[in-house]
Amino acid sequence: MDVADEILVGGHWRKGGGEVIATRDPATGEVIARVHGANLEDVERAVAEGARAAADPGWRDLLPHERARYLVRIADLIAERADDLARLQTADTGKSINETRALVASAAGTFRYFAAALETMEESLTPPRGPYLTMSLHEPIGVVGAITPWNSPIASDAQKIAPALAAGNAVVLKPAEWTPLVSLALGRLVADAGLPPGLLSVLPGPGRTTGDAIVRHPGVGKVTFTGGTVTGRTIGAVAAEKIMPVSLELGGKSPTIVFPDADLDQTVAGVLFGIFSSSGQSCIAGSRVFIHADVYADVLERLVRHTERLRVGPGADPATQVAPLVTHAHRDKVAAMVDRARQEGARVRCGGRAPDGPEFDRGAYYLPTVLDGLPNDSATCQEEIFGPVLVALPFTGEDDLVAQANDTVYGLACGIWTGDHRRAWRVARRIEAGTVWINTYKQFSISTPFSGIKASGIGTEKGRDGIRSYTRQKSLYWGLTAEPLPWAGV
């Protein structure tokens, strides 16, 4: 297969100067494309052109509704090319076609939302304390570095690019090394929408070189990152050295809580969706399920029975529920963590291995797995596996539950299943997580802010605050009197 010669650098499509990246179909292991990644010179050029484009009066002086038009055009093109984008993402990431279609629709919706939000954003007049008028304004940062993960690239790309452009910035996007194809396709689409050249660059490449260069570049005024906590800490340290704002959406070990008065049919379906959709490759996956002792045996039996019925197969098959993992190396890492769980004393209630059959031999498949018999302080219950692995734990009292659910370095998400709205409110307020779902799971609205706490990150994405996070705030004072300031003695 020919090497792809073009990446988007400062508004120009050109051969990247970095190492060649081979992308593989996780269902077959076959190479589907080779991409020249970006090198340090590409990063320099992208940042310089981004700074020039952001400062150009043709972009800098646009009124909000004029910038919004670009976002709407991008949304329209995403919708027009939705099927091609979904199929490309399935081939690149292994995700099921049903999921990638939803992610593409989500990306279009993200651009539409931020276009609408941009049209209605207001600055504020603040109460004065003297003979002057005071106001608070928000202005663009300049060049934003956006680093996105491999598990849902087009949706993550949109959640960073759309609000950053809405705020008036330029964006240097670094997609994950494993899955660059749909991000490059999005770059072509954005160019086709007529966005002024230089406002978006797409630089695939390794995090240790390309990503690090973007984060450290003095011309980058903010970095937004979605990915692992270890990398997030490194980015945060660099940001502290630069005195640079940063948004970090990091890992999770999210609890799902089942009370005895829950609708168990609805609950079991929700728990399975929360962990096994995306093949468990989701930072918000409900990977620890706490089940009240009164219904523990019943709920666990139902979970195992329905897990064993889930359809494992290639992402291109619309009937697939659990698709292959993103790479064989990642599949092997998940398998090793399940083996460690066995050593810790876990009972493997189902799964715990790759599926049998010649149709699975070449792919990065792993069966959806349910474990129990481990304490909450075990490594398996504390560390993010990022695969289709669910650990069940019993609880009795509410205080004990909250203590266990919060006993983790993470604080990203939580699910609560109960028929008692008072209990749901009480427990939701006590759980340390940025998002709590009650009698549902893994549902999102672009209009609702998303954030993590503790080792799950800092900063806010989505919602109207999502635009503000890509701005600098400035205060203006307008003197309303002709009298000189008394201190001057005039």
Side-chain angles (χ1 to χ4, degrees):
M1 180 174 293
D2 292 335
V3 174
D5 285 333
E6 294 182 326
I7 61 175
L8 182 57
V9 184
H12 303 283
W13 289 95
R14 61 183 59 191
K15 178 179 177 179
E19 61 189 70
V20 174
I21 302 166
T23 67
R24 298 177 181 272
D25 184 340
T28 65
E30 296 178 355
V31 174
I32 57 175
R34 301 182 195 275
V35 178
H36 276 291
N39 65 5
L40 299 184
E41 292 181 2
D42 295 322
V43 173
E44 288 288 342
R45 185 178 294 113
V47 174
E49 287 298 310
R52 179 202 57 76
D56 190 299
W59 176 253
R60 183 195 64 205
D61 296 341
L62 283 180
L63 296 174
H65 73 280
E66 294 171 325
R67 285 204 303 274
R69 289 174 185 159
Y70 286 105
L71 303 185
V72 171
R73 289 177 200 158
I74 294 168
D76 288 343
L77 286 180
I78 292 174
E80 288 176 15
R81 303 176 189 179
D83 191 61
D84 289 342
L85 290 168
R87 293 183 184 282
L88 179 62
Q89 187 166 6
T90 289
D92 205 18
T93 66
K95 282 180 173 289
S96 73
I97 190 66
N98 294 326
E99 183 175 354
T100 57
R101 284 171 175 155
L103 290 170
V104 171
S106 172
T110 295
F111 278 95
R112 291 192 195 283
Y113 170 80
F114 282 112
L118 181 58
E119 292 241 37
T120 57
M121 296 291 284
E122 298 176 348
E123 304 293 4
S124 58
L125 291 174
T126 55
R129 304 281 296 209
Y132 44 77
L133 178 70
T134 55
M135 61 180 64
S136 175
L137 306 176
H138 292 81
E139 298 178 342
I141 291 171
V143 178
V144 171
I147 303 175
T148 53
W150 49 260
N151 58 329
S152 54
I154 196 166
S156 295
D157 295 348
Q159 287 171 21
K160 299 180 186 302
I161 294 171
L165 292 178
N169 299 289
V171 181
V172 177
L173 172 69
K174 195 206 84 66
E177 182 180 5
W178 287 346
T179 56
L181 300 185
V182 77
S183 299
L184 289 168
L186 181 60
R188 290 196 177 276
L189 183 152
V190 168
D192 291 345
L195 188 74
L199 289 173
L200 177 66
S201 292
V202 183
L203 306 183
R208 67 185 182 277
T209 53
T210 307
D212 185 69
I214 292 171
V215 173
R216 295 182 184 277
H217 197 289
V220 173
K222 173 176 178 167
V223 167
T224 172
F225 169 77
T226 299
T229 298
V230 172
T231 302
R233 287 195 177 101
T234 301
I235 292 173
V238 175
E241 293 175 2
K242 292 176 62 178
I243 319 296
M244 173 183 70
V246 64
S247 296
L248 304 174
E249 183 202 327
L250 308 176
K253 194 69 177 179
S254 300
T256 301
I257 299 162
V258 181
F259 286 101
D261 60 349
D263 179 324
L264 295 188
D265 289 337
Q266 181 191 44
T267 297
V268 168
V271 171
L272 294 179
F273 177 74
I275 179 61
F276 295 132
S277 61
S278 305
S279 302
Q281 299 170 122
S282 172
C283 55
I284 56 170
S287 52
R288 294 181 298 156
V289 58
F290 291 93
I291 307 169
H292 193 277
D294 289 351
V295 292
Y296 183 83
D298 182 18
V299 172
L300 183 59
E301 187 276 329
R302 293 185 190 213
L303 288 170
V304 171
R305 174 160 39 93
H306 287 284
T307 297
E308 291 176 329
R309 295 175 181 173
L310 293 175
R311 173 72 180 271
V312 178
D317 184 348
T320 290
Q321 294 169 292
V322 181
L325 303 189
V326 66
T327 66
H328 290 74
H330 184 63
R331 189 271 313 274
D332 294 344
K333 179 180 177 182
V334 170
M337 296 183 83
V338 173
D339 288 342
R340 184 186 63 181
R342 288 188 175 96
Q343 296 170 6
E344 289 183 305
R347 292 186 292 266
V348 179
R349 305 302 294 261
C350 63
R353 59 181 177 81
D356 297 323
E359 68 272 30
F360 302 116
D361 287 348
R362 295 189 300 161
Y365 293 98
Y366 198 79
L367 287 173
T369 299
V370 178
L371 308 173
D372 80 334
L374 290 175
N376 188 55
D377 61 359
S378 65
T380 300
C381 293
Q382 291 293 315
E383 297 178 14
E384 186 175 39
I385 296 176
F386 221 70
V389 181
L390 176 67
V391 184
L393 303 102
F395 75 92
T396 51
E398 193 172 296
D399 289 341
D400 169 59
L401 161 72
V402 171
Q404 289 194 78
N406 289 341
D407 183 19
T408 170
V409 299
Y410 298 109
L412 194 58
C414 173
I416 299 173
W417 300 88
T418 178
D420 185 337
H421 69 276
R422 295 180 182 85
R423 172 190 283 150
W425 173 263
R426 187 171 61 245
V427 174
R429 295 303 302 270
R430 295 180 67 189
I431 292 293
E432 296 171 348
T435 297
V436 178
W437 289 285
I438 298 168
N439 294 330
T440 188
Y441 203 87
K442 213 175 181 183
Q443 303 300 302
F444 282 113
S445 168
I446 187 60
S447 62
T448 304
F450 180 79
S451 60
I453 62 175
K454 301 194 291 188
S456 289
I458 58 174
T460 297
E461 290 194 331
K462 303 185 179 181
R464 293 166 66 89
D465 290 343
I467 296 179
R468 294 298 194 216
S469 71
Y470 291 97
T471 63
R472 295 188 177 107
Q473 195 166 12
K474 177 183 288 183
S475 297
L476 297 184
Y477 288 73
W478 293 76
L480 299 179
T481 177
E483 297 296 324
L485 293 174
W487 178 85
V490 177

